[in-house]
Amino acid sequence: MRILHTSDWHLGRQLHRVPLLAEQRTFLEHLLDTVRQEHVEAVVVAGDVFDRAIPPLDAIDLFNWVLGELADLQVPLVMISGNHDSPRRLGVNSRLIERAGIHLRTSVEDCARPAVLHDEHGPVAFYGLPYLEPGLVHTHLGAEKPSHHAVISAAMDKVRTDLAARPDHTRSVILAHAFVTGADTSDSERDITAGGVPSVSASVFAGVDYVALGHLHRCQQISERIRYSGSPLAYSFSEAGHPKATWLIDLDADSALTARKILCPVPRRLRQLTGTLNDLLTQPEHTEYEECWLHITLTDTDRPHMAMERLRQRFPHALKLSFSQQQTTEEESYRSRVNGRSDHEITLGFLDHVTGVPATVPEQNLLQEGLESVRTAAAAREAS
C-alpha cells in the first residue's frame, strides 16, 4: 500500500501576524497533485490540522475543500487531532463522513478502533492515537501515572491487543501526536510538558509496521519505521534552513518498507539578514532577499530612527527586527532570560528571585503539581 504521510497543517496560522491561508492552499494543491501523480492509496494526517481550537471560518472552508477533493479522488484519508485541535469539533460527524473514506480519530475511545483499508495484498489497519492529554486520559486508559510515556504505552497496549485478534498478515500503521525522545524541535511547536517530561521513548511503538508522527515541525526519521513528516510550511525563523516535505511510504505484502521524501512547495522563502541599516539598504548582494520573509538583525551602534519602516522600503516582507547591541528593553531582556526554559523552571526562578531562598524539594514538587493542575484544567476547557 502506498501511503502519503503528512501532519501539522495548522490551518489558519499566521506568521508574525501575516495570514498564511494562501500558502497553505498552495501546499494542499501540491498534496492533491502528489496523490494523483504518485498513485497514493491512503493519506494520513498526524494531528494539528488547525492552529487553534476554534479556527477561523476561512480555515474551515479550506479544510472542507481538501476533504471534498480527496473524496472525489476516492482516496481514503486517516486523520487524528493534535494538541492545537479541539477533538470534539474536529470529530463532529466523523461516523457520517467515514462513509466517504474520511476516517477521523479524535477520542481516546477510538485508539484501538482502526480504519481497515485493503489493497491487493490484504488488510492494513490504521490506528489513530490523537494527542492524549495525560491528566485527562490516564484514568480511562488505566495508565500508572499522568505522563506522556504512561498514557501512550497504555494506548499502544490496547492497539497491540486489537491487532493480535486480527487475521494473520494484517499490516499496521500508527498515527500519533507526540514528542519522541531524540527528535529535533523548532521554535514553533507548543510545549506539551507533563509531569516535567514532554517526550516518550520510541520503544512504546514496538510491534507495528509504520508510525506516522505529528507535533514536531521538522521532517525527520527516528528509525526506519518511525518518522515525522513535519509541517508543510515554516512557521518560525528557526525553520528557515529546513526543507519541508511529506513522506511517501510503501508497505509491501510482507511489511517491508520503503520511504521517499516529497518536497513541499516554498511559496515564499524565510531568511535571516544581519548588518548595518545602511549596508542592508544599499548593498546589491541583498537583492535576492527582497521578496523573502525576513528576520533582520541590525548591528548599528545606535538604534536607527524608524528602522523597520526604512527597511520595508527595500524589503517589503520584513517581519521581525532585532538589534545585536546590548540596548535591550526590559521586555526583550526578560524574553532572552526565559527562552528555552520550562514553566516550572521559570516559576522556580521567580520564587528564588523574590525570596532569596531556593525552593526545597517538597516546594518544587508542590509547584509542579500546581502547574499540572492548571494546565490540565485548561486542556479540559478547550476539549469541551
Side-chain angles (χ1 to χ4, degrees), residues 291-366:
E291 294 304 316
C292 298
W293 280 317
L294 293 177
H295 173 196
I296 297 175
T297 301
L298 292 182
T299 60
D300 299 78
T301 303
D302 297 318
R303 292 195 177 187
H305 179 60
M306 298 182 65
M308 182 60 102
E309 289 79 359
R310 294 160 69 183
L311 285 165
R312 281 181 173 161
Q313 292 178 9
R314 182 177 188 183
F315 307 107
H317 305 289
L319 300 181
K320 183 178 179 181
L321 179 61
S322 301
F323 299 89
S324 64
Q325 298 300 317
Q326 298 302 312
Q327 300 177 353
T328 56
T329 66
E330 183 177 346
E331 179 182 353
E332 291 167 337
S333 176
Y334 177 76
R335 187 184 300 118
S336 67
R337 292 199 305 272
V338 302
N339 185 41
R341 300 173 68 190
S342 68
D343 289 344
H344 191 224
E345 291 169 331
I346 292 170
T347 48
L348 284 175
F350 174 77
L351 186 62
D352 190 4
H353 175 73
V354 298
T355 65
V357 180
T360 64
V361 172
E363 289 172 338
Q364 293 178 29
N365 293 338
L366 186 62

Side-chain angles (χ1 to χ4, degrees), residues 45 220 248 314 327 332 367 371 382:
V45 186
Q220 55 193 297
L248 193 65
R314 182 177 188 183
Q327 300 177 353
E332 291 167 337
L367 185 56
L371 289 169
E382 188 168 288

